[in-house]
Amino acid sequence: VETVPPSAFTLHTPDYAQNWSDAQVQPPNPPTSCDYRGRSPVIAVCNTGELVVAAGDVDIRQQGAPDPVWLNNNGRPFVTWSDDNGASWTQDPVKVGDDLSGIVAPQPGDTIAIDGGQLLPYIAIDRVVNEDDKVYVLFAGREHPASGDLDLYLAWSNDNGATFPNNQILHLTDLMLLGIDALPEGPDQIPAGLAIDSCGGVHILWYDTVATEDWLGEISVDVYWAIITDIGTPEQFIEVARLTSEEFPVGTMDDPVFLGERQTLTTNHRGVEGLFGMACYSLVQDGVVDTVVQRVKATQVCVDDPGGPTVGVDANVNGLIDPPDIAAYVDDWPLGWPSADLDEDGDVDADDFVIFVQQYDEHAIE
C-alpha cells in the first residue's frame, strides 16, 4: 500500500486525542509534493508528543525498466515527523542511512519474498525521562553492491527522530547474530519486529535463511530473536535465541510462501529477574501458514530509571500512569495475568498490588 504521509489529510484533536468529539480533518500545513511517498509506514510517539513515521522507499520506475528509480533515499528507509500533533510534517524526508553510509538497498529478488518482497523497516522508541527520546529503525541492506548477503541494520536517533547520523548505525553481521562468517549467497536476515524494553534494551525479531543450502530448490527459514544492550558503547552485548525448534519450508525463489508483510514483537518490564517478551509471527506447519505467539525470556537484568513508572504499570507505555493504565491493571490483577506480576516473582499477589499503588501515588495523572 502506498501512502503519502505529509500530503495526506490528518485527523487532528486539540487535546492529544483525549476527546475525539472535537476532531477536525486538516490538510497538511504547509502542503507538500505528492512525490513524497512511502511504503507501509509505521508510527511511534515520543514522550514529548512528537509523531515519528518510518516508511520504505518507493520505486517509481516506468513499466519494463530494468532498474529501480527511488524517490527518497535510494531504496533505504526514511522518516518523517510532526511536533504539533500531526498538524504539519517535515518538508523533506529524514534519510536513514544516506548514500555516504555505504549501505546498499536490497533489490527485488535479493532474497525469498516471504514478506511479499517488501523488506519493510520497523520503528521503536526508547522513552528517556527528561531527555530527547531515542528513536530506532531496523531495516535490511547489503554491505556493498556485489554482496549477495542480506543483513540487518539498526539505526538510532538521539533527537526524537530529527536526524539519523551514519555513525549511529549498527551493522548486525552474520558473525554477530549467528556466530558464522557470511557466504556470497547469504545467509539472509529478513526483519520481522523491533521493540525497546524498560531499561533501553533493543529487541529484534527476524527470519533467517541460515538452514538453506540450495537456493535453486526449496528454501527453509528459522525465526530468531535478539536483545542488544548498551548499543554503540564498548559494553555493547547481544544475546540471541532461536525461537523455532526446527527450520520450516517457505517455497522457492520463484514461488515463495507469503507469511505477511509485518510480524510483531513486544516487551514487558525488565528488572532484577530479567524480562519476558512476546513474539508473534507466522510459520508453515504441515503445509499451512499458522500464527504463533511465543514468550521469550531475556536473562539480562537491569534497574529501572527511578524517574518514571515501570512498564509493568505504564501499560500503554506513554511515560505516565493514566486512566487506561489503571483500568488495565485492575482488570489483569484479579485474573493473575503475567502483566500484573510487578515484582516478577512468578506469582500475582498482594505484593504486586502494593507496588501498583506506590507507582500510582508517585506518577498517576487524573
Side-chain angles (χ1 to χ4, degrees):
V1 176
E2 284 193 5
T3 64
V4 191
S7 297
F9 285 79
T10 303
L11 188 63
H12 173 74
T13 64
D15 55 1
Y16 290 89
Q18 296 301 308
N19 182 0
W20 287 96
S21 62
D22 296 326
Q24 297 177 345
V25 177
Q26 297 183 339
N29 179 30
T32 54
S33 166
C34 287
D35 284 342
Y36 185 22
R37 295 176 295 179
R39 289 180 296 115
S40 193
V42 283
I43 191 168
V45 183
C46 296
N47 263 337
T48 48
E50 284 88 354
L51 310 178
V52 189
V53 174
D57 208 348
V58 178
D59 180 4
I60 58 169
R61 78 178 96 179
Q62 297 295 317
Q63 185 174 4
D67 299 316
V69 178
W70 300 105
L71 267 181
N72 301 296
N73 193 20
N74 275 340
R76 295 174 293 266
F78 66 94
V79 162
T80 180
W81 58 276
S82 168
D83 60 3
D84 54 11
N85 198 28
S88 63
W89 296 85
T90 47
Q91 285 291 287
D92 298 308
V94 179
K95 297 179 179 181
V96 181
D98 60 20
D99 290 341
L100 296 179
S101 70
I103 302 170
V104 179
Q107 304 297 313
D110 271 1
T111 193
I112 187 162
I114 56 176
D115 64 347
Q118 297 295 303
L119 293 170
L120 296 169
Y122 287 79
I123 188 172
I125 289 181
D126 179 11
R127 294 172 175 82
V128 183
V129 177
N130 298 323
E131 297 180 26
D132 283 339
D133 293 338
K134 278 189 175 182
V135 181
Y136 290 89
V137 174
L138 177 70
F139 63 102
R142 293 178 292 140
E143 192 172 13
H144 53 80
S147 173
D149 179 35
L150 193 68
D151 287 336
L152 297 179
Y153 290 83
L154 185 64
W156 66 95
S157 164
N158 292 326
D159 52 13
N160 291 345
T163 61
F164 283 84
N166 287 333
N167 63 354
Q168 291 176 189
I169 301 177
L170 176 62
H171 178 193
L172 294 162
T173 64
D174 297 331
L175 186 62
M176 295 167 68
L177 296 179
L178 303 172
I180 62 175
D181 292 324
L183 300 173
E185 68 278 7
D188 293 341
Q189 287 79 47
I190 300 171
L194 175 66
I196 313 299
D197 67 37
S198 58
C199 288
V202 181
H203 299 248
I204 61 173
L205 183 73
W206 76 94
Y207 290 100
D208 207 297
T209 66
V210 64
T212 297
E213 298 180 357
D214 180 12
W215 282 84
L216 298 178
E218 188 168 68
I219 295 172
S220 296
V221 298
D222 281 288
V223 180
Y224 282 83
W225 161 90
I227 174 176
I228 309 168
T229 55
D230 296 313
I231 189 169
T233 72
E235 291 75 35
Q236 177 177 289
F237 182 77
I238 303 177
E239 178 182 353
V240 179
R242 179 188 179 194
L243 301 189
T244 42
S245 58
E246 59 183 7
E247 67 271 14
F248 57 92
V250 289
T252 64
M253 289 291 290
D254 293 331
D255 187 22
V257 175
F258 180 61
L259 300 180
E261 282 191 358
R262 292 192 181 277
Q263 313 296 323
T264 306
L265 178 67
T266 63
T267 62
N268 201 339
H269 165 67
R270 180 161 62 96
V272 296
E273 298 296 330
L275 168 139
F276 284 107
M278 300 296 290
C280 181
Y281 57 90
S282 299
L283 52 69
V284 179
Q285 297 182 122
D286 299 323
V288 177
V289 177
D290 288 334
T291 298
V292 172
V293 178
Q294 187 170 355
R295 190 170 73 165
V296 183
K297 187 176 190 302
T299 59
Q300 299 181 55
V301 301
C302 73
V303 177
D304 282 311
D305 184 347
T310 67
V311 174
V313 178
D314 181 18
N316 56 15
V317 200
N318 65 354
L320 304 169
I321 298 180
D322 48 23
D325 297 322
I326 298 168
Y329 194 82
V330 170
D331 287 342
D332 290 354
W333 185 79
L335 298 174
W337 288 109
S339 57
D341 183 18
L342 299 183
D343 59 9
E344 298 183 333
D345 64 354
D347 294 314
V348 178
D349 50 27
D351 293 338
D352 298 305
F353 205 86
V354 169
I355 294 173
F356 169 72
V357 172
Q358 291 172 341
Q359 290 290 323
Y360 173 84
D361 289 342
E362 293 176 11
H363 303 288
I365 61 172
E366 299 298 333

